[in-house]
Amino acid sequence: MSLLRRIERSGQQQPTQAQDSDSKLAELRVRRKDLSPAASAQDGYLDLKSRIQNKLLSELDPSMDISRTQEVRGTIEELFNAILSEEGIVLTRAERRRLFEQIVAEILGFGPLEPLLADESITEIMVNGPKNIYIERKGLISRTEATFENEDHVLRIIDRIVAPLGRRIDESSPTVDARLPDGSRVNAVIPPISLVGPVITIRKFSKVPLTVDDLIRFGSITPELIEFLRASVIARCNVIVSGGTGSGKTTLLNVLSGFIPEDERIVTIENAAELQLRQDHVVTLESRPPNIEGRGEITIRDLVVNSLRMRPDRIVVGECRAAEALDMLQAMNTGHDGSLTTLHSNSPRDTLARLEVMCLMAGMDLPVRAIREQVASAVDLIVHQDRMRDGTRKVVKVTEVQGMEGNVITLSDIFEFEQTGIEQGRVIGRIRPTGLRPKFIDKIEAAGIHLPPAIFGIGTGGRY
C-alpha cells in the first residue's frame, strides 16, 4: 500500500461501538418510518371495519330471518350507509363496496372464504392458520392473497360452519367434520392438535353435479366404459370406487349412483352428506360424533346395520374407513346386491388388502381366509381412479374380482389406462379394453342388457 494511501486511511476515524449502535438504531427508525404509513392504514381499516360491523350487529333486529338473504343485505346496506354518514366517513365507491361486501360476508357468510367459495373454478380451499390460505384449481395448488385477521377470526368462522349442524370443536374435541349449506365437505383442526393455528380444509362440490358428459369431456372416462359401468350398476353388481385422496372418487360414485333405476329404494350412508342423487326414493343417513359427555355417537357401522332394517334395494356408503366394511360385505352377500361404496387405496389389489384390514378392525376373530372368501363373493368390480401429475383425474383400471384360487383372490383387468405421452405438461392417453370379458357378463345379459363385444375390445385387438 502506498504512503499516501496509508496517510488517508489513518486520517479516517473508525466508528466506535456506540456510534455503530446509534447508526443501527437510526436505520431501524428509518425503516419503521417507511413501514408505518402502510401498517397504520391497515390498522385503521381493520378498526373501521370492526367498529361499523359491531355497530351494525347492535342495530340489526335479532329476530330477522337471515335465510332471506336479499332482504337482509338491503337492511344491512341501509344501516351501513347511515353509519358512514353519521360518522362523516368519506370513502371512494370502490372502497365503500369492498368494505360493505366484507362486512356482509362476516355477518351472513364465512368471512374471507366467501369469494373463494363463490369461485366455481376452485375445488379445494386450505386454511393453514390465519395468514396462509391456499386453493386448488384444475388440480394445481396455489396461495391466495386472502387472510384472516387473527386466530380468533378463524375460530369464529369454524363455529359458524359447525354450529348449525349440532357439531362442536374445542380443546377437548379439536377436530370436526362438517359440511356447508351447498354440500361442500369441511374438516377443521384447532390447537393444541394443530401447531400452526386453526386449520380448515374445504372440499368444494359443484352446485350442479357433474354428469357423465362432463367426465367424458374432461377425459376422465370414455363413452364405452360408461356404457359398461351403467350396465354393471343396472345389473346389480357390487362396485367399489377406489383411489387416492382427491382423485375424484365421490364424483364418480355420484355418477354411478345416477344409473340406479328410479323404482328402487336407495339408502345412502355418509360421514358428511356429499352425494347428490337425483332419484326420488332416496333416504340419506349421516353419522354423528359423540356429544360433550362422550355419548350419543352414531357410527357408519351403526348406520349400515340399521339400514338393513329399512328395506333398501341399494345401499350406498360414501366411504368405507373401518369396521363398517365387514357389515357392508355381509350386506352384499345377503341379498343387498347392487351396493356401491368408495375406499382409499393405491390400486385394485391394495383395495382388497385394505378391506381385509378394515374387517379385522371389527374385532371379530375371523381367519383371513374367511374374510377373503367374503370379499371374493361380495365384490364384483373395482373401479380405480387416480389423480395424474398434471392434476387431471382419470379412471386408470376397471378390475373384476373373479374368485379364490387357494388363499388368493384372483383379479382380472377389464379396462386399463394407457399413457401415450405428455403434451404441454398434460398427460395424454386413453383407458382401453384388455380384450377380456367379465365373468358376470351373464348377470348383465340376464338384466336384458346386451353389450357389443367391441366394448371389451373383442375383434378389435383390444383397441378401438
Side-chain angles (χ1 to χ4, degrees), residues 37-53 80 84 89 91-92 94-104 106 147 149:
S40 176
Q42 179 67 12
D43 290 342
Y45 179 80
L46 292 175
D47 179 60
L48 174 65
K49 176 172 170 279
S50 179
R51 278 192 298 113
I52 295 176
Q53 186 174 311
F80 174 77
L84 290 183
I89 299 168
L91 298 172
T92 66
E95 289 170 340
R96 180 183 286 252
R97 177 51 50 184
R98 175 180 166 226
L99 182 59
F100 172 72
E101 291 296 342
Q102 287 184 347
I103 289 174
V104 169
E106 290 293 337
T147 61
E149 294 170 18

Side-chain angles (χ1 to χ4, degrees), residues 131-149:
K131 302 302 180 185
N132 298 307
I133 301 179
Y134 293 83
I135 60 168
E136 181 189 70
R137 185 183 275 121
K138 294 182 179 178
L140 304 175
I141 294 175
S142 61
R143 184 173 178 174
T144 72
E145 294 181 358
T147 61
F148 288 86
E149 294 170 18

Side-chain angles (χ1 to χ4, degrees), residues 224-225 227-228 414-415 430 432-437 450-464:
E224 296 81 13
L225 178 52
E227 192 175 346
F228 169 66
I414 309 300
F415 293 83
R430 180 181 172 89
R432 63 173 185 82
T434 59
L436 300 174
R437 293 206 310 174
H450 304 284
L451 296 175
I455 280 186
F456 305 105
I458 297 171
T460 61
R463 298 175 184 275
Y464 292 103

